[in-house]
Amino acid sequence: MEEHFHINSPLVESLGMTRRLGTPVYLKMESAQPSGSFKIRGIGHLCQQMASQSKGIVCSSGGNAGMAAARVARSMGLPATIVVPSSSPPLVVQRLQEEGATVRITGQVWDDANAEALRLTETEGLTYVPPFDHPLLWEGHSTVITEIAASLGQNQKPGAVVVSVGGGGLLCGVAQGLRAVGWMDVPIVAMETVGADCLNAAVKAGRIVTLDDITSEAKCLGAKTVCSKAFEWSRSAELRVIPQLVGDLEALLAVETFLDEERVLVELACGAALAAVYSGVIQRLQAEGRLPSPLAPLVVIVCGGSGINMEQLANLQHKIRRPN
């Protein structure tokens, strides 16, 4: 039987969000995972399937996938090399090293780090662990929905599920999970920040596009190209995906409000999902008739984040509130 590296994370009602929305809002607290984010679900599952006989793993990451890969590798007794772009906060590098990983800093953005990780796979015979684009990752991430279904019970189905989208791995896992529990009529509100909006850009263009650059401070949403499976889901007749954008400031305000109200500090990337309620995105979708009103309970996946502490939050506040 497969060992799980993730925990069944708490599903808790947010009274503050419920009050704002006028319908119960449940938070799936993936910030409580051992690696700090949902990534450990898929990466744990993939490593068990692919890396048990490996001489080591290599993962390209802006932070959270790397933290999950390092934690899983340490648990499996495998060496881990994590390739991060120079945009990753020093805090992330430090935490990866504390997990026992070898850290290489390559390039400006995730795409550069990924090219180096693929090179190491060839030259050093390491097992490549992709951060978001692999069926085993999505299968692992899908457990977030099976847990939500078990917690809510037979008689309660969400009105919608809110997720942050970076490369699209969580979106694919959530879609797969909705199919597994028979909830394909539950829409997914897919949140991105302006400047890290590869899904929104693809949906608008009607094809997968590559962003010129990541200009958002939500670096963990910083894939320039969304994975093709996530784009497929966004166009699927089987499932309704509603892509939405917020600015970095809205995501930051959501992080701050969440810290005040729920006493949990999450990354800006996670703030994009929280902003769906705090910035009125869900309420606007209801007013536009794109979500029903009244709405059945809303579930927000609090994807978490390992690259945040009070110093990093202060840096973000300075950059976003007082840009050059």
Side-chain angles (χ1 to χ4, degrees), residues 196-241:
D197 48 346
C198 57
L199 175 64
N200 265 273
V203 168
K204 281 195 187 107
R207 60 184 169 78
I208 291 177
V209 294
T210 298
L211 302 176
D212 292 335
D213 196 12
I214 302 300
T215 55
S216 168
E217 289 300 329
K219 300 303 179 191
C220 285
L221 297 183
K224 291 200 285 189
T225 314
V226 75
C227 72
S228 57
K229 186 66 181 175
F231 180 62
E232 274 173 43
W233 279 119
S234 76
R235 293 167 70 87
S236 165
E238 194 186 357
L239 178 72
R240 196 149 67 94
V241 176

Side-chain angles (χ1 to χ4, degrees), residues 44-125:
H45 181 55
L46 180 138
C47 287
Q48 290 224 305
Q49 301 291 314
M50 293 178 62
S52 53
Q53 305 304 313
S54 171
K55 64 186 211 179
I57 66 169
V58 60
C59 178
S60 54
S61 170
N64 290 313
M67 283 299 296
R71 172 63 65 107
V72 168
R74 188 161 63 80
S75 302
M76 293 176 73
L78 291 171
T81 301
I82 312 298
V83 190
V84 301
S86 58
S87 56
S88 299
L91 168 70
V92 169
V93 175
Q94 181 191 333
R95 286 184 174 168
L96 287 167
Q97 288 168 337
E98 285 168 0
E99 281 286 357
T102 300
V103 181
R104 293 198 186 201
I105 300 171
T106 304
Q108 299 289 313
V109 293
W110 171 79
D111 304 71
D112 304 330
N114 193 48
E116 174 65 6
L118 290 169
R119 190 187 70 77
L120 291 172
T121 307
E122 293 295 318
T123 57
E124 299 189 18

Side-chain angles (χ1 to χ4, degrees), residues 8-14 25-30 144 147-153 156 158 183 298-301:
N8 184 335
S9 61
L11 184 73
V12 294
E13 185 180 356
S14 164
V25 178
Y26 291 106
L27 306 171
K28 183 63 170 163
M29 297 297 292
E30 290 296 282
V144 76
E147 286 174 16
I148 290 167
S151 296
L152 289 178
Q156 209 173 19
W183 283 355
L298 185 75
V299 173
V300 180
I301 298 182

Side-chain angles (χ1 to χ4, degrees), residues 243-318:
Q244 293 292 296
L245 278 178
V246 290
D248 278 358
L249 182 58
E250 290 168 295
L252 175 64
L253 289 169
V255 167
E256 293 169 340
T257 308
F258 195 70
L259 180 58
D260 283 344
E261 292 189 357
E262 309 296 336
R263 302 165 306 285
V264 176
L265 178 60
V266 294
E267 279 180 0
L268 202 61
C270 183
L274 303 174
V277 176
Y278 289 139
S279 289
V281 174
I282 300 295
Q283 297 90 321
R284 177 171 51 74
L285 291 171
Q286 287 179 289
E288 292 169 358
R290 297 173 70 188
L291 284 176
S293 192
L295 188 67
L298 185 75
V299 173
V300 180
I301 298 182
V302 182
C303 51
S306 52
I308 191 80
N309 60 8
M310 292 307 289
E311 184 185 356
Q312 184 63 17
L313 178 61
N315 289 343
L316 287 170
Q317 288 166 328
H318 184 75

